[in-house]
Amino acid sequence: MSGIGEPQNPTEVDGRLRNDKDGLSLFQRRAIAASEHLQMARNSSPKFHESNDPTLEFFYHPRTLSVLSVLLAGFLYVALYIDPSNDMLNTKWGLVALCSVFVVVSVVLFRDGPFIRPHPAFWRGVLGLNVLYEMFLVFLLFQSKQTGRQIMTFFDPSLGVVLPERSYGDKCALTWANVSDGIDIFVLAHSVGWFGKALIIRNHTMCWILSIAFELSEYSLAHHLPNFNECWWDHWILDVLTCNWLGIYVGMKWCEHFKMKTYTWHGIRQIQSIKGKISRAGAQFTPHSWTVYEWAPTRRFKNFAGFILFAVLILLAELNVFYLKSLLWIPPEHPLVITRLSLLFLFSLPSAREYYEYYSNPRCKRMGAHCWMLIATLLTELLIIVKFARGEFTEPFPTSVILFWSLVIFAIAGFSLWRFVVIPRLKQPLSRNNHMKAH
């Protein structure tokens, strides 16, 4: 062993510092390997398009200092002119300012998502709002049920009281009086909701599968939530065949329009007429391009599993809102419920695109940020429901419900085993025989 100050073994020095046959030192080779690893990670991320859109050049130049100046000016005005003695008002303004800063930081620093209309910064802001909502949910998860209900009074002092749940299954005779009595604002909400889901899912078959699955979920959970207790004609005629059909039909017509549309983008300066300029400005709020979602769940097992997972996530997003408003005592028509649904729609648009890219592209090895964040949000909502539901829903699941969903799970597992294990093995001897005959 070499002593201190003595020359080291020449072979050790030669192994560390000697250039290899390519003329690269050990440090250079390590740097190259790290660069290649980083490039492989980038290649495994979802890629959609270049985010730069030159048609409105002014909005695509960096404006970070301008945004910072406007933000600080707004903070200065609010801080100087609000009533300092009103603690509740100060708290609300402080939270608004905090959220504003976070959204601005998201717009400036987050990566672009799959969409560039109306502007990539808009979708970076949407991702920032999703992160904020997830942070609020994590905070709520660590509160008691009573504290969670009290937190809702911060947004609206009229909340925090027990709400009567309306049952729609009291008068089930198929008469015009009963049908008209069951028609309310939620009929329109059904159609609007399925119009939005059609734009997210972009597939007729999957929309209808989810529409029927949600009605079956309402049957299964009616012992928990009284407003799921509906008449048979309310489930299948009013909901599925009328409201849901209308929303799916109009939504898919929109999808077909965007699919068939010819996308030729010209800058506003290149358009001479005023009408053309206005039309081009309005087109900024339409998709830059359109991707048709071909789910093909029977193509391979990954597709089948991804299809099931996507359906479960959609149903989870639907059911979570009913449980949350019931446990936190929020009326269905309250702005908090409408805000949550609207935000989830915005979160879902880029998330579905990123999920489909991960689902259909073998070269994509990781989910995009929008999709990952939305899945985390839905699962956090589910954790809150599980925690707050303790002691609330004491009635056990009916035996018929347990048997039905057990059969569904058994059928799904049996189909996947037959389609992806048995059939490929049955085809192997045939392919071998054909190969031998060919030779």
Side-chain angles (χ1 to χ4, degrees), residues 132-149 151-152 324 327-328 376-390:
L132 279 175
Y133 181 55
E134 169 65 8
M135 293 167 65
F136 171 74
L137 291 176
V138 171
F139 174 78
L140 190 62
L141 178 62
F142 287 88
Q143 311 306 311
S144 66
K145 181 166 48 183
Q146 291 72 23
T147 304
R149 291 166 177 168
I151 289 174
M152 296 301 108
L324 287 174
L327 293 169
L328 296 175
T377 299
L378 295 176
L379 294 180
T380 307
E381 286 184 340
L382 181 61
L383 291 177
I384 293 173
I385 293 168
V386 171
K387 178 180 179 179
F388 288 2
R390 288 183 295 182

mmCIF file of all heavy atoms in Angstrom, residues 132-149 151-152 324 327-328 376-390:
data_model
loop_
_atom_site.group_PDB
_atom_site.id
_atom_site.type_symbol
_atom_site.label_atom_id
_atom_site.label_comp_id
_atom_site.label_asym_id
_atom_site.label_seq_id
_atom_site.Cartn_x
_atom_site.Cartn_y
_atom_site.Cartn_z
ATOM 1 N N LEU A 132 -52.843 23.065 -6.891
ATOM 2 C CA LEU A 132 -53.437 23.763 -5.750
ATOM 3 C C LEU A 132 -54.597 22.975 -5.164
ATOM 4 O O LEU A 132 -54.728 22.853 -3.935
ATOM 5 C CB LEU A 132 -53.912 25.157 -6.184
ATOM 6 C CG LEU A 132 -52.869 26.252 -6.268
ATOM 7 C CD1 LEU A 132 -53.490 27.524 -6.842
ATOM 8 C CD2 LEU A 132 -52.288 26.556 -4.885
ATOM 9 N N TYR A 133 -55.457 22.445 -6.023
ATOM 10 C CA TYR A 133 -56.594 21.658 -5.548
ATOM 11 C C TYR A 133 -56.125 20.406 -4.827
ATOM 12 O O TYR A 133 -56.674 20.023 -3.788
ATOM 13 C CB TYR A 133 -57.498 21.303 -6.731
ATOM 14 C CG TYR A 133 -58.723 20.508 -6.352
ATOM 15 C CD1 TYR A 133 -59.607 20.975 -5.387
ATOM 16 C CD2 TYR A 133 -58.999 19.285 -6.962
ATOM 17 C CE1 TYR A 133 -60.736 20.239 -5.034
ATOM 18 C CE2 TYR A 133 -60.125 18.552 -6.621
ATOM 19 C CZ TYR A 133 -60.982 19.039 -5.653
ATOM 20 O OH TYR A 133 -62.088 18.310 -5.304
ATOM 21 N N GLU A 134 -55.097 19.764 -5.355
ATOM 22 C CA GLU A 134 -54.545 18.582 -4.699
ATOM 23 C C GLU A 134 -53.963 18.941 -3.329
ATOM 24 O O GLU A 134 -54.143 18.193 -2.343
ATOM 25 C CB GLU A 134 -53.483 17.945 -5.591
ATOM 26 C CG GLU A 134 -52.644 16.862 -4.940
ATOM 27 C CD GLU A 134 -53.437 15.629 -4.558
ATOM 28 O OE1 GLU A 134 -54.634 15.528 -4.937
ATOM 29 O OE2 GLU A 134 -52.871 14.755 -3.870
ATOM 30 N N MET A 135 -53.286 20.071 -3.222
ATOM 31 C CA MET A 135 -52.738 20.500 -1.940
ATOM 32 C C MET A 135 -53.856 20.760 -0.928
ATOM 33 O O MET A 135 -53.737 20.411 0.256
ATOM 34 C CB MET A 135 -51.879 21.746 -2.140
ATOM 35 C CG MET A 135 -50.604 21.500 -2.943
ATOM 36 S SD MET A 135 -49.784 23.012 -3.491
ATOM 37 C CE MET A 135 -49.301 23.711 -1.927
ATOM 38 N N PHE A 136 -54.956 21.364 -1.391
ATOM 39 C CA PHE A 136 -56.101 21.580 -0.500
ATOM 40 C C PHE A 136 -56.685 20.248 -0.047
ATOM 41 O O PHE A 136 -57.043 20.084 1.132
ATOM 42 C CB PHE A 136 -57.159 22.420 -1.208
ATOM 43 C CG PHE A 136 -58.462 22.508 -0.454
ATOM 44 C CD1 PHE A 136 -58.573 23.301 0.676
ATOM 45 C CD2 PHE A 136 -59.573 21.781 -0.876
ATOM 46 C CE1 PHE A 136 -59.766 23.372 1.379
ATOM 47 C CE2 PHE A 136 -60.769 21.845 -0.188
ATOM 48 C CZ PHE A 136 -60.857 22.644 0.947
ATOM 49 N N LEU A 137 -56.790 19.285 -0.961
ATOM 50 C CA LEU A 137 -57.327 17.974 -0.598
ATOM 51 C C LEU A 137 -56.432 17.272 0.414
ATOM 52 O O LEU A 137 -56.930 16.624 1.352
ATOM 53 C CB LEU A 137 -57.478 17.108 -1.846
ATOM 54 C CG LEU A 137 -58.561 17.506 -2.845
ATOM 55 C CD1 LEU A 137 -58.495 16.606 -4.070
ATOM 56 C CD2 LEU A 137 -59.941 17.444 -2.224
ATOM 57 N N VAL A 138 -55.125 17.370 0.250
ATOM 58 C CA VAL A 138 -54.202 16.752 1.206
ATOM 59 C C VAL A 138 -54.379 17.380 2.587
ATOM 60 O O VAL A 138 -54.394 16.687 3.613
ATOM 61 C CB VAL A 138 -52.751 16.879 0.709
ATOM 62 C CG1 VAL A 138 -51.774 16.440 1.784
ATOM 63 C CG2 VAL A 138 -52.541 16.062 -0.556
ATOM 64 N N PHE A 139 -54.533 18.708 2.634
ATOM 65 C CA PHE A 139 -54.786 19.384 3.909
ATOM 66 C C PHE A 139 -56.097 18.901 4.517
ATOM 67 O O PHE A 139 -56.178 18.615 5.722
ATOM 68 C CB PHE A 139 -54.830 20.896 3.691
ATOM 69 C CG PHE A 139 -55.226 21.673 4.911
ATOM 70 C CD1 PHE A 139 -54.324 21.903 5.933
ATOM 71 C CD2 PHE A 139 -56.518 22.168 5.040
ATOM 72 C CE1 PHE A 139 -54.698 22.611 7.069
ATOM 73 C CE2 PHE A 139 -56.903 22.879 6.162
ATOM 74 C CZ PHE A 139 -55.982 23.089 7.180
ATOM 75 N N LEU A 140 -57.138 18.778 3.697
ATOM 76 C CA LEU A 140 -58.446 18.340 4.183
ATOM 77 C C LEU A 140 -58.390 16.899 4.679
ATOM 78 O O LEU A 140 -59.105 16.534 5.626
ATOM 79 C CB LEU A 140 -59.476 18.479 3.062
ATOM 80 C CG LEU A 140 -60.957 18.291 3.418
ATOM 81 C CD1 LEU A 140 -61.399 19.344 4.423
ATOM 82 C CD2 LEU A 140 -61.819 18.354 2.161
ATOM 83 N N LEU A 141 -57.555 16.083 4.067
ATOM 84 C CA LEU A 141 -57.443 14.680 4.450
ATOM 85 C C LEU A 141 -56.989 14.525 5.899
ATOM 86 O O LEU A 141 -57.366 13.563 6.572
ATOM 87 C CB LEU A 141 -56.476 13.971 3.501
ATOM 88 C CG LEU A 141 -56.184 12.491 3.769
ATOM 89 C CD1 LEU A 141 -57.457 11.660 3.643
ATOM 90 C CD2 LEU A 141 -55.112 11.980 2.822
ATOM 91 N N PHE A 142 -56.195 15.471 6.386
ATOM 92 C CA PHE A 142 -55.655 15.369 7.737
ATOM 93 C C PHE A 142 -56.513 16.107 8.768
ATOM 94 O O PHE A 142 -56.064 16.333 9.890
ATOM 95 C CB PHE A 142 -54.216 15.896 7.763
ATOM 96 C CG PHE A 142 -53.243 14.958 7.108
ATOM 97 C CD1 PHE A 142 -52.999 15.021 5.752
ATOM 98 C CD2 PHE A 142 -52.593 13.989 7.851
ATOM 99 C CE1 PHE A 142 -52.111 14.158 5.140
ATOM 100 C CE2 PHE A 142 -51.699 13.111 7.254
ATOM 101 C CZ PHE A 142 -51.464 13.195 5.893
ATOM 102 N N GLN A 143 -57.723 16.482 8.394
ATOM 103 C CA GLN A 143 -58.664 17.109 9.317
ATOM 104 C C GLN A 143 -59.738 16.098 9.712
ATOM 105 O O GLN A 143 -59.928 15.081 9.051
ATOM 106 C CB GLN A 143 -59.317 18.340 8.683
ATOM 107 C CG GLN A 143 -58.354 19.313 8.039
ATOM 108 C CD GLN A 143 -57.265 19.772 8.984
ATOM 109 O OE1 GLN A 143 -57.528 20.181 10.114
ATOM 110 N NE2 GLN A 143 -56.028 19.688 8.518
ATOM 111 N N SER A 144 -60.429 16.405 10.784
ATOM 112 C CA SER A 144 -61.573 15.584 11.165
ATOM 113 C C SER A 144 -62.765 15.927 10.268
ATOM 114 O O SER A 144 -62.765 16.944 9.566
ATOM 115 C CB SER A 144 -61.933 15.819 12.624
ATOM 116 O OG SER A 144 -62.396 17.146 12.814
ATOM 117 N N LYS A 145 -63.777 15.083 10.310
ATOM 118 C CA LYS A 145 -64.961 15.328 9.505
ATOM 119 C C LYS A 145 -65.649 16.623 9.910
ATOM 120 O O LYS A 145 -66.075 17.407 9.052
ATOM 121 C CB LYS A 145 -65.916 14.142 9.649
ATOM 122 C CG LYS A 145 -67.188 14.248 8.849
ATOM 123 C CD LYS A 145 -67.897 12.901 8.794
ATOM 124 C CE LYS A 145 -68.015 12.243 10.134
ATOM 125 N NZ LYS A 145 -68.642 10.920 10.092
ATOM 126 N N GLN A 146 -65.727 16.885 11.229
ATOM 127 C CA GLN A 146 -66.361 18.114 11.697
ATOM 128 C C GLN A 146 -65.559 19.341 11.273
ATOM 129 O O GLN A 146 -66.128 20.365 10.865
ATOM 130 C CB GLN A 146 -66.501 18.082 13.227
ATOM 131 C CG GLN A 146 -67.515 17.071 13.750
ATOM 132 C CD GLN A 146 -67.051 15.627 13.616
ATOM 133 O OE1 GLN A 146 -65.844 15.369 13.526
ATOM 134 N NE2 GLN A 146 -67.990 14.695 13.596
ATOM 135 N N THR A 147 -64.225 19.241 11.333
ATOM 136 C CA THR A 147 -63.387 20.364 10.900
ATOM 137 C C THR A 147 -63.534 20.587 9.399
ATOM 138 O O THR A 147 -63.564 21.736 8.933
ATOM 139 C CB THR A 147 -61.919 20.099 11.256
ATOM 140 O OG1 THR A 147 -61.809 19.856 12.657
ATOM 141 C CG2 THR A 147 -61.052 21.288 10.870
ATOM 142 N N GLY A 148 -63.625 19.505 8.632
ATOM 143 C CA GLY A 148 -63.816 19.642 7.188
ATOM 144 C C GLY A 148 -65.096 20.382 6.859
ATOM 145 O O GLY A 148 -65.119 21.243 5.968
ATOM 146 N N ARG A 149 -66.176 20.061 7.571
ATOM 147 C CA ARG A 149 -67.433 20.775 7.347
ATOM 148 C C ARG A 149 -67.321 22.228 7.766
ATOM 149 O O ARG A 149 -67.896 23.119 7.129
ATOM 150 C CB ARG A 149 -68.547 20.075 8.120
ATOM 151 C CG ARG A 149 -68.899 18.704 7.566
ATOM 152 C CD ARG A 149 -69.748 17.897 8.522
ATOM 153 N NE ARG A 149 -70.133 16.608 7.936
ATOM 154 C CZ ARG A 149 -70.685 15.612 8.626
ATOM 155 N NH1 ARG A 149 -70.926 15.764 9.929
ATOM 156 N NH2 ARG A 149 -71.004 14.482 8.021
ATOM 157 N N ILE A 151 -64.577 23.982 7.594
ATOM 158 C CA ILE A 151 -63.764 24.651 6.573
ATOM 159 C C ILE A 151 -64.648 25.121 5.430
ATOM 160 O O ILE A 151 -64.401 26.184 4.830
ATOM 161 C CB ILE A 151 -62.661 23.696 6.081
ATOM 162 C CG1 ILE A 151 -61.608 23.502 7.163
ATOM 163 C CG2 ILE A 151 -62.001 24.228 4.814
ATOM 164 C CD1 ILE A 151 -60.561 22.467 6.826
ATOM 165 N N MET A 152 -65.684 24.374 5.102
ATOM 166 C CA MET A 152 -66.579 24.773 4.012
ATOM 167 C C MET A 152 -67.280 26.103 4.325
ATOM 168 O O MET A 152 -67.613 26.854 3.402
ATOM 169 C CB MET A 152 -67.624 23.686 3.760
ATOM 170 C CG MET A 152 -67.053 22.362 3.267
ATOM 171 S SD MET A 152 -66.138 22.501 1.710
ATOM 172 C CE MET A 152 -64.448 22.276 2.298
ATOM 173 N N LEU A 324 -68.652 13.516 -1.682
ATOM 174 C CA LEU A 324 -68.066 14.683 -1.023
ATOM 175 C C LEU A 324 -69.129 15.696 -0.618
ATOM 176 O O LEU A 324 -69.102 16.226 0.496
ATOM 177 C CB LEU A 324 -67.032 15.340 -1.952
ATOM 178 C CG LEU A 324 -65.709 14.589 -2.121
ATOM 179 C CD1 LEU A 324 -64.847 15.266 -3.179
ATOM 180 C CD2 LEU A 324 -64.951 14.513 -0.804
ATOM 181 N N LEU A 327 -70.998 14.224 2.414
ATOM 182 C CA LEU A 327 -70.240 14.180 3.664
ATOM 183 C C LEU A 327 -69.897 15.560 4.186
ATOM 184 O O LEU A 327 -69.814 15.768 5.405
ATOM 185 C CB LEU A 327 -68.960 13.365 3.454
ATOM 186 C CG LEU A 327 -69.157 11.874 3.196
ATOM 187 C CD1 LEU A 327 -67.852 11.238 2.743
ATOM 188 C CD2 LEU A 327 -69.682 11.179 4.451
ATOM 189 N N LEU A 328 -69.693 16.535 3.281
ATOM 190 C CA LEU A 328 -69.317 17.889 3.696
ATOM 191 C C LEU A 328 -70.513 18.836 3.756
ATOM 192 O O LEU A 328 -70.330 20.032 4.006
ATOM 193 C CB LEU A 328 -68.260 18.447 2.737
ATOM 194 C CG LEU A 328 -66.926 17.694 2.723
ATOM 195 C CD1 LEU A 328 -66.008 18.248 1.649
ATOM 196 C CD2 LEU A 328 -66.258 17.749 4.083
ATOM 197 N N ALA A 376 -53.714 11.459 -9.049
ATOM 198 C CA ALA A 376 -53.446 11.719 -7.636
ATOM 199 C C ALA A 376 -54.612 12.462 -6.983
ATOM 200 O O ALA A 376 -54.989 12.182 -5.837
ATOM 201 C CB ALA A 376 -52.150 12.527 -7.493
ATOM 202 N N THR A 377 -55.224 13.389 -7.714
ATOM 203 C CA THR A 377 -56.353 14.152 -7.182
ATOM 204 C C THR A 377 -57.551 13.255 -6.912
ATOM 205 O O THR A 377 -58.175 13.327 -5.842
ATOM 206 C CB THR A 377 -56.742 15.259 -8.176
ATOM 207 O OG1 THR A 377 -55.618 16.146 -8.361
ATOM 208 C CG2 THR A 377 -57.926 16.061 -7.668
ATOM 209 N N LEU A 378 -57.897 12.407 -7.875
ATOM 210 C CA LEU A 378 -59.052 11.519 -7.709
ATOM 211 C C LEU A 378 -58.832 10.533 -6.559
ATOM 212 O O LEU A 378 -59.756 10.273 -5.771
ATOM 213 C CB LEU A 378 -59.319 10.762 -9.003
ATOM 214 C CG LEU A 378 -59.735 11.610 -10.207
ATOM 215 C CD1 LEU A 378 -59.881 10.738 -11.449
ATOM 216 C CD2 LEU A 378 -61.036 12.348 -9.931
ATOM 217 N N LEU A 379 -57.626 10.007 -6.431
ATOM 218 C CA LEU A 379 -57.354 9.066 -5.346
ATOM 219 C C LEU A 379 -57.350 9.756 -3.990
ATOM 220 O O LEU A 379 -57.763 9.169 -2.985
ATOM 221 C CB LEU A 379 -56.023 8.359 -5.599
ATOM 222 C CG LEU A 379 -55.987 7.442 -6.826
ATOM 223 C CD1 LEU A 379 -54.624 6.797 -6.980
ATOM 224 C CD2 LEU A 379 -57.067 6.369 -6.731
ATOM 225 N N THR A 380 -56.898 11.012 -3.946
ATOM 226 C CA THR A 380 -56.943 11.759 -2.684
ATOM 227 C C THR A 380 -58.381 12.045 -2.283
ATOM 228 O O THR A 380 -58.740 11.960 -1.097
ATOM 229 C CB THR A 380 -56.155 13.070 -2.807
ATOM 230 O OG1 THR A 380 -54.828 12.804 -3.280
ATOM 231 C CG2 THR A 380 -56.050 13.765 -1.453
ATOM 232 N N GLU A 381 -59.227 12.388 -3.249
ATOM 233 C CA GLU A 381 -60.654 12.547 -2.954
ATOM 234 C C GLU A 381 -61.227 11.252 -2.387
ATOM 235 O O GLU A 381 -62.022 11.276 -1.428
ATOM 236 C CB GLU A 381 -61.415 12.943 -4.216
ATOM 237 C CG GLU A 381 -61.210 14.376 -4.657
ATOM 238 C CD GLU A 381 -62.062 14.731 -5.862
ATOM 239 O OE1 GLU A 381 -62.513 13.814 -6.573
ATOM 240 O OE2 GLU A 381 -62.263 15.930 -6.108
ATOM 241 N N LEU A 382 -60.841 10.119 -2.966
ATOM 242 C CA LEU A 382 -61.328 8.834 -2.480
ATOM 243 C C LEU A 382 -60.876 8.571 -1.045
ATOM 244 O O LEU A 382 -61.659 8.070 -0.224
ATOM 245 C CB LEU A 382 -60.837 7.717 -3.409
ATOM 246 C CG LEU A 382 -61.273 6.298 -3.051
ATOM 247 C CD1 LEU A 382 -62.794 6.171 -3.088
ATOM 248 C CD2 LEU A 382 -60.622 5.287 -3.992
ATOM 249 N N LEU A 383 -59.636 8.925 -0.716
ATOM 250 C CA LEU A 383 -59.148 8.747 0.653
ATOM 251 C C LEU A 383 -59.950 9.600 1.636
ATOM 252 O O LEU A 383 -60.272 9.150 2.752
ATOM 253 C CB LEU A 383 -57.664 9.112 0.723
ATOM 254 C CG LEU A 383 -56.688 8.178 0.003
ATOM 255 C CD1 LEU A 383 -55.271 8.713 0.108
ATOM 256 C CD2 LEU A 383 -56.773 6.764 0.569
ATOM 257 N N ILE A 384 -60.285 10.824 1.241
ATOM 258 C CA ILE A 384 -61.107 11.689 2.101
ATOM 259 C C ILE A 384 -62.471 11.057 2.323
ATOM 260 O O ILE A 384 -63.005 11.051 3.454
ATOM 261 C CB ILE A 384 -61.237 13.085 1.468
ATOM 262 C CG1 ILE A 384 -59.884 13.797 1.456
ATOM 263 C CG2 ILE A 384 -62.257 13.938 2.236
ATOM 264 C CD1 ILE A 384 -59.891 15.103 0.698
ATOM 265 N N ILE A 385 -63.067 10.515 1.276
ATOM 266 C CA ILE A 385 -64.381 9.874 1.388
ATOM 267 C C ILE A 385 -64.317 8.681 2.330
ATOM 268 O O ILE A 385 -65.181 8.503 3.198
ATOM 269 C CB ILE A 385 -64.890 9.464 -0.007
ATOM 270 C CG1 ILE A 385 -65.185 10.703 -0.844
ATOM 271 C CG2 ILE A 385 -66.135 8.592 0.098
ATOM 272 C CD1 ILE A 385 -65.409 10.409 -2.307
ATOM 273 N N VAL A 386 -63.286 7.852 2.180
ATOM 274 C CA VAL A 386 -63.143 6.671 3.040
ATOM 275 C C VAL A 386 -62.995 7.088 4.500
ATOM 276 O O VAL A 386 -63.591 6.477 5.403
ATOM 277 C CB VAL A 386 -61.943 5.823 2.579
ATOM 278 C CG1 VAL A 386 -61.636 4.720 3.578
ATOM 279 C CG2 VAL A 386 -62.206 5.221 1.206
ATOM 280 N N LYS A 387 -62.223 8.137 4.749
ATOM 281 C CA LYS A 387 -62.015 8.593 6.127
ATOM 282 C C LYS A 387 -63.280 9.201 6.713
ATOM 283 O O LYS A 387 -63.698 8.859 7.829
ATOM 284 C CB LYS A 387 -60.875 9.609 6.159
ATOM 285 C CG LYS A 387 -60.622 10.170 7.555
ATOM 286 C CD LYS A 387 -59.492 11.185 7.565
ATOM 287 C CE LYS A 387 -59.307 11.738 8.974
ATOM 288 N NZ LYS A 387 -58.198 12.728 9.035
ATOM 289 N N PHE A 388 -63.919 10.112 5.980
ATOM 290 C CA PHE A 388 -65.084 10.815 6.504
ATOM 291 C C PHE A 388 -66.334 9.933 6.533
ATOM 292 O O PHE A 388 -67.303 10.260 7.225
ATOM 293 C CB PHE A 388 -65.362 12.063 5.673
ATOM 294 C CG PHE A 388 -64.374 13.173 5.884
ATOM 295 C CD1 PHE A 388 -63.292 13.025 6.725
ATOM 296 C CD2 PHE A 388 -64.518 14.388 5.218
ATOM 297 C CE1 PHE A 388 -62.369 14.046 6.914
ATOM 298 C CE2 PHE A 388 -63.615 15.417 5.401
ATOM 299 C CZ PHE A 388 -62.535 15.242 6.256
ATOM 300 N N ALA A 389 -66.335 8.840 5.772
ATOM 301 C CA ALA A 389 -67.528 7.981 5.708
ATOM 302 C C ALA A 389 -67.664 7.071 6.914
ATOM 303 O O ALA A 389 -68.710 6.426 7.076
ATOM 304 C CB ALA A 389 -67.493 7.153 4.432
ATOM 305 N N ARG A 390 -66.641 6.992 7.748
ATOM 306 C CA ARG A 390 -66.725 6.116 8.917
ATOM 307 C C ARG A 390 -67.835 6.595 9.856
ATOM 308 O O ARG A 390 -67.847 7.735 10.301
ATOM 309 C CB ARG A 390 -65.388 6.087 9.661
ATOM 310 C CG ARG A 390 -64.299 5.329 8.917
ATOM 311 C CD ARG A 390 -63.018 5.246 9.697
ATOM 312 N NE ARG A 390 -62.418 6.556 9.889
ATOM 313 C CZ ARG A 390 -61.258 6.769 10.509
ATOM 314 N NH1 ARG A 390 -60.588 5.740 11.000
ATOM 315 N NH2 ARG A 390 -60.783 7.987 10.634
#
